[in-house]
Amino acid sequence: MTDRAPLFVVINTRSGRTAGDERCRLLASVFREGGREVEFLPVRTPAKLDAVAAQAVTRAAACRGVVVAAGGDGTLSAVAHATLGSDCAFGILPQGTFNYFGREHGVAQDIEGAARSLLRAKPQPVRVGLVNGRAFLVNASLGLYPRLLEDREAYKRQLGRYRWVAIVSGLATLMRDHRQLDLEIENGGHNRHLRTPTLFIGNNRLQFEQSGLSTAADALDAGQLAAIAVEPTRSRALFALALRGAIGQLGSTGRVIEFPFRRLTVHVRGQRRVKVAADGEIHRMRSPLVFSVSPQPLRLMVPAEDDRQERA
């Protein structure tokens, strides 16, 4: 790949606060000013995302180009899934609510700044998580968390795609009673039984640090993923735990179970198919669920040192 490699941009026209056509014009201006050829592959409905991402990878592979994802963490994850193992470099233009993946790697949060830094970025290997073969960049979960995401989308359709809407909707969901998951877990040759309202698998140090889960964050430095579970808890206690997490003190509550792994098999008793949230997108997957570190890293276009933003 050269510094003039063409860019194939998969852009989610539903993400961000400006219209998709306007963002394409802005990006085209930035990239062409930088001497780069660019082709846009718009995604107007979620059902088309995987197919469009695969198309972008095919085109990029034919000319040693860069596959670029413009959208929220779900869009980035889907395009990364298509790119993984292709030997194509992968660039991002974050446009979501929290943008944990982009923030973790110092990518600017405004689309123009991210585009300009992409022109000077270089590929570096980045760890990817898998759940039943599906890639995720930030997190994957089952139980309460997918329910939080479904409720959040309903709130956003009514009130807009703002961070405060996501927070308010999450707190409202926590105030309702929730069933406990009944799990059998295999990890490194050891089995354990676990009852919990949610099982959360993380792959993002920034998200763990901001929640106060330092042990889980350290696991990522060792090339592992980290599992987080909450002891069986009623709605009021979940609400209190969420507030502790919001101020970075979740790990000190004594109600959280966390452990590292490279491969984890989860049997969900009483469920053949399970709702799994992977980077904000919900999938129905067959039990048992197998979470693992991908044997192949993603070749992420990481900003040059001078372009890198503070992790915040």
Side-chain angles (χ1 to χ4, degrees):
M1 190 187 71
T2 70
D3 290 341
R4 298 295 178 182
L7 306 173
F8 296 85
V9 182
V10 179
I11 183 164
N12 185 344
T13 58
R14 298 169 64 248
S15 295
R17 297 181 185 175
T18 56
D21 289 344
E22 183 179 341
R23 278 179 286 150
C24 287
R25 285 192 294 269
L26 172 62
L27 292 171
S29 175
V30 171
F31 291 141
R32 286 168 184 156
E33 179 185 315
R36 301 291 278 274
E37 294 182 12
V38 59
E39 179 180 343
F40 294 99
L41 295 89
V43 178
R44 306 194 189 281
T45 61
K48 299 289 186 181
L49 179 54
D50 285 347
V52 173
Q55 184 181 16
V57 172
T58 298
R59 295 190 186 188
C63 59
R64 298 184 63 80
V66 179
V67 179
V68 181
D73 282 336
T75 301
L76 271 53
S77 178
V79 181
H81 177 75
T83 308
L84 193 65
S86 70
D87 202 36
C88 290
F90 174 68
I92 62 171
L93 302 170
Q95 288 286 283
T97 303
F98 292 101
N99 296 327
Y100 278 117
F101 185 68
R103 290 159 61 199
E104 170 73 16
H105 295 285
V107 178
Q109 297 305 288
D110 67 289
I111 195 166
E112 182 175 356
R116 293 191 183 281
S117 69
L118 182 59
L119 294 170
R120 299 203 304 156
K122 300 294 183 184
Q124 294 182 14
V126 170
R127 180 189 56 252
V128 174
L130 300 174
V131 51
N132 284 16
R134 181 82 189 186
F136 63 93
L137 302 176
V138 179
N139 57 57
S141 58
L142 56 151
L144 176 58
Y145 198 65
R147 206 166 306 130
L148 284 167
L149 293 176
E150 289 179 324
D151 291 348
R152 186 176 80 183
E153 285 306 305
Y155 271 73
K156 284 183 176 181
R157 283 193 292 270
Q158 297 179 43
L159 302 174
R161 308 188 76 81
Y162 300 99
R163 189 175 295 190
W164 69 265
V165 174
I167 294 170
V168 170
S169 69
L171 294 176
T173 303
L174 290 172
M175 290 304 294
R176 303 200 299 267
D177 285 332
H178 303 284
R179 62 177 293 186
Q180 305 294 312
L181 294 170
D182 195 357
L183 307 177
E184 289 291 338
I185 295 176
E186 302 172 21
N187 178 20
H190 301 283
N191 295 346
R192 70 186 296 177
H193 176 244
L194 185 64
R195 285 182 57 79
T196 179
T198 192
L199 179 66
F200 181 94
I201 309 299
N203 186 37
N204 186 272
R205 184 176 183 88
L206 177 62
Q207 188 175 41
F208 282 142
E209 286 177 346
Q210 291 189 340
S211 300
L213 296 166
S214 58
T215 301
D218 291 342
L220 303 182
D221 291 342
Q224 302 176 93
L225 301 174
I228 307 296
V230 177
E231 294 179 354
T233 304
R234 304 292 292 180
S235 59
R236 289 185 181 179
L238 283 172
F239 185 85
L241 286 172
L243 292 179
R244 294 289 293 273
I247 60 175
Q249 297 181 359
L250 185 59
S252 63
T253 63
R255 303 294 299 275
V256 175
I257 302 163
E258 48 186 305
F259 54 91
F261 68 90
R262 291 192 63 85
R263 182 182 175 88
L264 187 75
T265 302
V266 179
H267 299 262
V268 185
R269 289 183 176 178
Q271 296 186 48
R272 292 185 177 180
R273 299 189 69 83
V274 185
K275 282 185 181 179
V276 178
D279 291 338
E281 299 297 324
I282 297 176
H283 308 272
R284 288 189 174 273
M285 297 184 174
R286 188 175 295 278
S287 179
L289 303 172
V290 178
F291 299 90
S292 63
V293 175
S294 170
Q296 298 171 307
L298 190 65
R299 297 181 63 230
L300 177 67
M301 298 293 288
V302 174
E305 193 66 38
D306 291 346
D307 298 329
R308 202 165 299 175
Q309 302 294 303
E310 291 290 332
R311 295 163 67 250

